[in-house]
Amino acid sequence: MQLINLKYFSKGKRSKVYTAFYKNKKVIVKYSNRALIEASWLKFLKKLDFTPKLIFADKNMLIYEFIEGITIAEYLKNKNSKPIIKQILRQCYELDKLKINKKELTNPYKHILIKDKKAKMIDFERCYKTKFPKNVTQFSEFLMRKKLVNRNNLIKSLKEYKKQQTKKHFDNILALI
């Protein structure tokens, strides 16, 4: 595998991240002892349009498409962020329906990138299957903490959603955004 122009990009809690070019496309090269775990999640979630495309993985290295964009924190400074917030909540709901908990969505600063009014999620190394996923509720907690939604209105709908993760209860949450 020929990587061209490997450059340091950032450091995570469990990884070192670089950018490079592979077959003339910019990629992320992530060195982590959890590379195979994240690769398995990216393979499983590849049908979703908000995850990066996996290119290669082995025991300690993961290569996936580079996601251009700005962080969710930067984007939320935009006056019209409601469409993106709703889009991300729909993504969270897709994960909830699959019974997957992503984690990191109460502090998604580095985990959601936006470009051309499309949100993408990265860093799936801590995902796990569960009967009770919390993606919608975790991201909603983030929104309430940032004062982007009315906490009093949203709490009741989130409690209902937590009891039963139905489309109806999810739509009630979306209606409050």
Side-chain angles (χ1 to χ4, degrees):
M1 170 156 295
Q2 180 145 9
L3 296 172
I4 298 168
N5 203 19
L6 187 70
K7 290 184 180 174
Y8 178 80
F9 186 67
S10 75
K11 184 179 182 327
K13 288 181 184 173
R14 289 163 289 285
S15 62
K16 287 188 179 176
V17 182
Y18 298 82
T19 60
F21 286 88
Y22 175 71
K23 294 185 177 179
N24 294 322
K25 291 188 179 177
K26 193 169 186 180
V27 295
I28 287 291
V29 180
K30 191 174 190 180
Y31 293 96
S32 166
N33 62 0
R34 297 180 58 87
L36 290 177
I37 294 168
E38 186 165 4
S40 69
W41 284 112
L42 289 175
K43 285 178 192 173
F44 182 77
L45 297 169
K46 71 181 176 186
K47 63 184 174 260
L48 303 176
D49 67 345
F50 57 86
T51 62
K53 180 183 172 199
L54 176 66
I55 296 167
F56 172 83
D58 68 15
K59 185 179 174 188
N60 296 308
M61 183 175 69
L62 179 74
I63 300 173
Y64 59 82
E65 73 175 322
F66 183 83
I67 304 294
E68 293 280 350
I70 61 172
T71 65
I72 183 70
E74 193 64 33
Y75 190 86
L76 291 176
K77 294 175 184 175
N78 182 341
K79 298 209 183 323
N80 187 19
S81 57
K82 282 186 181 186
I84 283 290
I85 290 171
K86 288 184 176 189
Q87 183 183 128
I88 295 166
L89 280 167
R90 285 185 193 98
Q91 293 171 355
C92 291
Y93 183 59
E94 288 299 313
L95 292 172
D96 283 355
K97 288 191 310 186
L98 292 170
K99 301 296 183 195
I100 295 169
N101 205 43
K102 183 184 181 313
K103 305 268 290 187
E104 286 114 358
L105 290 173
T106 52
N107 291 305
Y109 300 104
K110 294 181 180 180
H111 302 274
I112 299 175
L113 301 171
I114 293 105
K115 182 178 182 190
D116 299 330
K117 299 183 181 178
K118 289 196 86 173
K120 297 266 190 174
M121 292 186 187
I122 59 170
D123 288 341
F124 288 87
E125 65 195 31
R126 293 182 63 207
C127 280
Y128 62 92
K129 280 283 220 182
T130 179
K131 289 181 182 179
F132 308 105
K134 302 173 184 173
N135 300 293
V136 169
T137 54
Q138 286 181 352
F139 187 68
S140 296
E141 287 174 31
F142 166 75
L143 296 174
M144 290 185 290
R145 203 172 56 251
K146 293 301 244 174
K147 296 181 179 13
L148 296 167
V149 293
N150 183 307
R151 181 179 189 83
N152 296 331
N153 293 343
L154 194 55
I155 291 288
K156 182 181 176 191
S157 292
L158 286 171
K159 285 180 181 179
E160 291 298 317
Y161 179 79
K162 191 173 179 180
K163 288 179 198 171
Q164 286 186 307
Q165 293 184 346
T166 64
K167 174 100 170 82
K168 177 187 171 196
H169 289 128
F170 175 69
D171 287 343
N172 290 342
I173 292 167
L174 273 186
L176 296 170
I177 303 301

